[in-house]
Amino acid sequence: MSRTEEFQELRPLLFSIAYRILGSVSEAEDAVQETWLRFETAPAEPRSAKAYLSAAVTRISIDVLRSARVRREEYTGPWLPEPLLADPYQDPERSAELADSLSMAALVLLERLSPLERAVFVLREVFDFGFSEVASAVGRSEAACRQLVVRARRHMAAGRPRFEAARTAREELASRFFDALHEGDVAGLQNLLSADVSMVGDGGGRAPQLAKAVFGAQNVARLLASVFPQMALIGVTFEPHEINGQPGAIFRDQDGKVLHTLALDVLDGRIQTIHAVINPDKLGHVGPVADARAIDREVRQARQLTKWQTAPRTPLHELSLSESELG
């Protein structure tokens, strides 16, 4: 087998490692490309292509993450990973574990770890690498890697997300959620949300976003029901699609351009968290990106018209949440 063939066979694994370390599709793709360049020009044939390539992509990802951490500390508003529509690495025996490790909630939690802890945790806990392989990949002793894993597990344990085990149950709940969303059905939405549900939006200062996270079933339901029907009036549509291994949807403007993605975390028959990524810099890999600010202006105009038309019958305080929560 040629080097090109070996690399292509392992490429899905390499991307999946890099993405979980970096939380960025574009940076993961760059890390994989840099790994190929190193492999292509390596003077000697590695004894194990998998070991060589996994170590190379891990080290490159650690270096990228160290520089990215400074930018993320200065990020405007909540930071969420770039949405991933499908994980190229498939392992039927561990598909549920891999999907959970890919979720928005899990990747946000991984941000608490140092770059080295994150890399070791991903290799050992997600991809089940042996400690000798992990040590070789990160350039540390096996004893040091065991300590790093222990620290990473401790950091992750308290907030580690749990998800509905049955895929069909998640998908059925998501279908009901999006039906209620389309109808602007506050009661229907509220019945599908956990009491302490949270909704987080990532605009990165590059698009309209929630001024802060919204908590509570009633608040989240009212916010969703007040905004999305009005978006539909100006031609915004959505298509259900798995996002980061969990139920979700891609929202598009009337020209089919990507406005944002929505991912749902489901547990015990209720939606626990809603993650919305609207930062255009994080959506280019999904497709051509819509002008979110222009759409926001149209939605605000539609909302004002709705208020005017319903003023004799609708108290203003019923619409105050969306006005105060939207940036």
Side-chain angles (χ1 to χ4, degrees):
M1 186 182 292
S2 69
R3 285 194 182 187
T4 301
E5 291 170 331
E6 286 182 309
F7 178 80
Q8 290 302 329
E9 185 175 281
L10 291 165
R11 189 182 190 110
L13 171 63
L14 303 179
F15 175 85
S16 296
I17 290 172
Y19 178 77
R20 285 168 173 82
I21 294 174
L22 294 167
S24 165
V25 173
S26 55
E27 289 175 347
E29 289 174 342
D30 289 345
V32 171
Q33 182 60 27
E34 176 63 25
T35 300
W36 161 245
L37 294 176
R38 294 188 185 185
F39 185 49
E40 183 185 34
T41 58
E45 192 70 29
R47 284 189 296 177
S48 167
K50 179 182 177 181
Y52 177 92
L53 291 168
S54 298
V57 80
T58 297
R59 292 176 183 178
I60 291 167
S61 297
I62 290 172
D63 289 342
V64 172
L65 183 59
R66 283 174 174 154
S67 62
R69 293 297 281 270
V70 176
R71 297 193 302 273
R72 292 179 189 179
E73 288 173 0
E74 300 172 349
Y75 196 78
T76 301
W79 178 91
L80 293 175
E82 291 183 9
L84 186 66
L85 303 190
D87 186 1
Y89 180 70
Q90 302 296 325
D91 183 347
E93 294 184 0
R94 302 183 62 248
S95 59
E97 298 171 62
L98 290 170
D100 285 357
S101 70
L102 195 66
S103 72
M104 290 277 179
L107 292 172
V108 168
L109 199 56
L110 280 170
E111 284 289 298
R112 300 180 183 182
L113 307 183
S114 71
L116 195 57
E117 287 173 338
R118 185 165 179 165
V120 169
F121 184 87
V122 166
L123 291 177
R124 176 61 184 171
E125 299 296 293
V126 178
F127 293 99
D128 202 28
F129 278 53
F131 275 108
S132 62
E133 297 172 296
V134 175
S136 175
V138 301
R140 296 291 192 276
S141 68
E142 288 189 39
C145 288
R146 291 180 187 276
Q147 291 178 343
L148 286 167
V149 167
V150 169
R151 287 208 301 267
R153 285 173 181 161
R154 187 167 57 244
H155 286 309
M156 295 286 288
R160 191 163 190 177
R162 294 162 51 233
F163 302 100
E164 191 75 51
R167 184 187 187 95
T168 54
R170 295 199 310 255
E171 292 175 348
E172 191 275 335
L173 180 65
S175 177
R176 290 163 56 201
F177 170 83
F178 287 115
D179 285 345
L181 183 64
H182 185 267
E183 297 298 325
D185 181 359
V186 177
L189 287 167
Q190 190 168 337
N191 288 336
L192 301 172
L193 304 174
S194 68
D196 58 349
V197 65
S198 63
M199 181 172 177
V200 182
D202 176 352
R206 301 270 288 112
Q209 65 187 69
L210 295 170
K212 57 184 179 180
V214 181
F215 297 94
Q218 185 180 47
N219 290 338
V220 171
R222 290 176 60 204
L223 175 60
L224 291 170
S226 70
V227 173
F228 287 103
Q230 292 169 352
M231 293 174 68
L233 290 176
I234 63 170
V236 173
T237 59
F238 61 82
E239 58 189 74
H241 200 295
E242 189 172 273
I243 306 291
N244 286 76
Q246 305 300 320
I250 301 170
F251 287 72
R252 300 181 185 275
D253 70 4
Q254 60 183 352
D255 297 319
K257 294 182 178 179
V258 179
L259 176 60
H260 67 86
T261 63
L262 209 65
L264 310 176
D265 294 341
V266 178
L267 180 65
D268 298 331
R270 292 287 186 273
I271 294 167
Q272 305 290 316
T273 313
I274 302 171
H275 294 101
V277 177
I278 195 170
N279 184 343
D281 295 338
K282 295 184 175 184
L283 297 171
H285 63 283
V286 180
V289 181
D291 185 345
R293 295 193 186 280
I295 290 175
D296 180 62
R297 288 193 294 270
E298 291 185 62
V299 169
R300 289 177 183 274
Q301 290 170 0
R303 186 183 303 119
Q304 291 299 323
L305 179 60
T306 299
K307 284 183 178 180
W308 177 78
Q309 291 174 334
T310 60
R313 292 171 281 114
T314 305
L316 288 176
H317 73 271
E318 290 187 7
L319 296 172
S320 63
L321 176 65
S322 59
E323 291 295 330
S324 63
E325 293 292 350
L326 288 173

